[in-house]
Amino acid sequence: MENDGAKAPVFVVSANLLGLARWLRFLGFSTEIRTDPGKITVFLREHPEAIFLSAGKKQFEHVDTSQSYLLHSNFIEDQLQELNSAFEIFRRMNLLSRCSLCNVPIEPVSKADIKQQVPERVWQSFDQFWRCSRCRRIYWEGGHIERLKEKLRRLGVPVG
Ligand SMILES: [Zn+2]
């Protein structure tokens, strides 16, 4: 899979798009969540490359249109398709590269280092692990990741 991280879009969403934010992070895109419109404006000013995603016209009105994108659907699957049309997110995604809770990159960690931190069965079954430097959460290609990948396949996204 192509890793185009350097040019990948940075997103900011309001709290009503929390589910979409988690998905975008899972796909590897930096996605900030800001609850009040003033903070979204500040974030966009400080990050000229960032795009504000909105599912409602009302929030959208506060923001410079060159830095915002209005989603038409309320369903995450459709929203991902819309974002793919606009930003080619499926081509540019980088799975298992970002913590879906903290929005920071996760780093490969040696299997020996995390033996005490994952269930024995998981430690036995997997060889590659990643850790979030902020919340210390451990990631591996387990059932949760498989289910997310299965959803992507159903969207027609070629994932390994
Ligand atoms: Zn984290």
Side-chain angles (χ1 to χ4, degrees):
M1 197 163 300
E2 192 176 346
N3 182 349
D4 200 4
K7 284 174 286 171
V10 169
F11 297 114
V12 55
V13 302
S14 47
N16 65 327
L17 292 178
L18 199 67
L20 180 65
R22 293 262 165 89
W23 263 100
L24 288 169
R25 290 171 177 176
F26 171 68
L27 297 178
F29 298 101
S30 176
T31 308
E32 293 289 334
I33 298 162
R34 293 288 184 277
T35 43
D36 89 61
K39 286 185 178 159
I40 291 170
T41 309
V42 170
F43 183 86
L44 290 172
R45 203 180 303 131
E46 289 170 354
H47 300 83
E49 78 289 7
I51 306 286
F52 172 58
L53 303 177
S54 173
K57 276 213 166 73
K58 205 166 169 158
Q59 293 174 314
F60 195 69
E61 284 166 358
H62 298 285
V63 176
D64 176 1
T65 49
S66 71
Q67 254 184 294
S68 55
Y69 184 82
L70 181 62
L71 293 157
H72 295 98
S73 175
N74 290 313
F75 299 99
I76 288 176
E77 277 83 355
D78 297 333
Q79 291 171 341
L80 289 173
Q81 293 288 6
E82 286 183 51
L83 292 177
N84 189 44
S85 301
F87 304 105
E88 293 191 277
I89 59 169
F90 295 153
R91 184 181 64 80
R92 301 159 106 177
M93 70 186 179
N94 190 6
L95 293 181
L96 272 173
S97 65
R98 187 173 296 276
C99 179
S100 55
L101 299 177
C102 306
N103 194 37
V104 299
I106 56 174
E107 286 144 17
V109 63
S110 102
K111 187 171 170 168
D113 283 356
I114 49 94
K115 191 173 193 317
Q116 309 303 326
Q117 292 160 55
V118 296
E120 179 66 20
R121 177 186 52 80
V122 168
W123 198 82
Q124 297 288 352
S125 312
F126 297 92
D127 289 321
Q128 278 188 297
F129 295 90
W130 294 264
R131 183 165 55 199
C132 171
S133 58
R134 187 172 298 168
C135 73
R136 316 300 283 172
R137 187 171 184 226
I138 311 288
Y139 287 83
W140 62 90
E141 292 220 36
H144 173 64
I145 302 294
E146 247 334 293
R147 281 194 295 280
L148 291 171
K149 280 185 169 180
E150 191 47 49
K151 277 195 182 176
L152 287 174
R153 286 187 199 104
R154 270 186 267 130
L155 289 173
V157 184
V159 290

